Amino acid sequence: MLFDWFNSEKPNVYLGSLAVVNDSNISKIESFFSISGNSLQDHMRKKLEEIFCLHSISNINEPKKSDIGLDVVIVTLHGGEAFTVNLGTSGIPIFWRPKIKLVSRLYNINHGKTVKTFSVSKSVTWREFIAKQFSLRGLFRWGPLYHNEDMEILLYQACLELIDKMRKAI
């Protein structure tokens, strides 16, 4: 029994699916004001593909008993924004910070049974958000407050934390 521990092989991890499924209310509001449409979602999907560059499950001829599949989904994706809605003599400030939430699932390829699920959320700090509001871009609004490159940083941080959680669990 003790020797089984020495013989246990590390599982191979293969990529199942990657997706951006973003249906939060804030995202719907952002898409109303955004000129670019789904470009942020498309951009983040491509970045996910670059980050999780594993062999695909579809390329496996004969999976081993220990082989594991990985699905990763961005369930929340919204850039930060702040503006004021004027109501005559007064105004209501509306704002939200950029946020990314990833959910992943590790599962046995042979059985399709879920081994473990993970979830990670990342958003910019209030300090960063306020600093961006009072930057030249924030004051003069030469475009969106947070560009794709700004959102990539959050995605990389979230993926790094997610990978670390999964690595510790396997």
Side-chain angles (χ1 to χ4, degrees):
M1 303 311 160
L2 176 63
F3 296 108
D4 288 343
W5 181 75
F6 290 109
N7 291 332
S8 67
E9 60 183 273
K10 284 269 187 190
N12 294 318
V13 179
Y14 295 96
L15 188 60
S17 63
L18 300 173
V20 179
V21 182
N22 191 23
D23 60 354
S24 71
N25 290 331
I26 291 175
S27 298
K28 291 174 185 169
I29 293 169
E30 274 185 335
S31 66
F32 180 73
F33 290 106
S34 175
I35 299 169
S36 59
N38 289 337
S39 66
L40 178 61
Q41 290 185 9
D42 296 338
H43 182 76
M44 291 296 137
R45 170 84 166 81
K46 289 176 187 166
K47 288 298 168 186
L48 267 183
E49 289 173 359
E50 290 174 14
I51 293 167
F52 294 98
C53 55
L54 301 168
H55 294 288
S56 176
I57 289 175
S58 60
N59 296 339
I60 305 172
N61 294 331
E62 294 181 31
K64 297 180 202 170
K65 270 188 350 183
S66 62
D67 286 349
I68 292 177
L70 169 66
D71 294 337
V72 180
V73 179
I74 298 176
V75 294
T76 302
L77 173 66
H78 51 80
E81 195 54 70
F83 55 89
T84 304
V85 176
N86 291 324
L87 303 171
T89 58
S90 63
I92 300 172
I94 299 174
F95 53 89
W96 58 88
R97 296 180 297 165
K99 181 178 181 179
I100 292 179
K101 182 177 181 180
L102 297 174
V103 176
S104 70
R105 174 178 85 114
L106 291 174
Y107 58 96
N108 183 289
I109 293 174
N110 289 324
H111 306 103
K113 186 176 177 183
T114 300
V115 175
K116 192 136 179 141
T117 59
F118 303 89
S119 178
V120 172
S121 290
K122 283 290 178 191
S123 59
V124 298
T125 64
W126 280 108
R127 181 182 213 164
E128 285 179 78
F129 182 70
I130 291 169
K132 185 77 104 177
Q133 286 295 318
F134 292 104
S135 68
L136 288 176
R137 187 187 325 170
L139 292 173
F140 294 108
R141 291 305 173 132
W142 295 315
L145 193 57
Y146 287 88
H147 292 288
N148 288 351
E149 294 79 21
D150 298 321
M151 296 302 293
E152 281 177 28
I153 294 169
L154 277 181
L155 179 65
Y156 292 143
Q157 290 172 344
C159 287
L160 199 61
E161 188 175 323
L162 184 71
I163 291 168
D164 191 47
K165 280 184 173 184
M166 289 187 294
R167 184 184 55 78
K168 289 177 181 175
I170 293 181

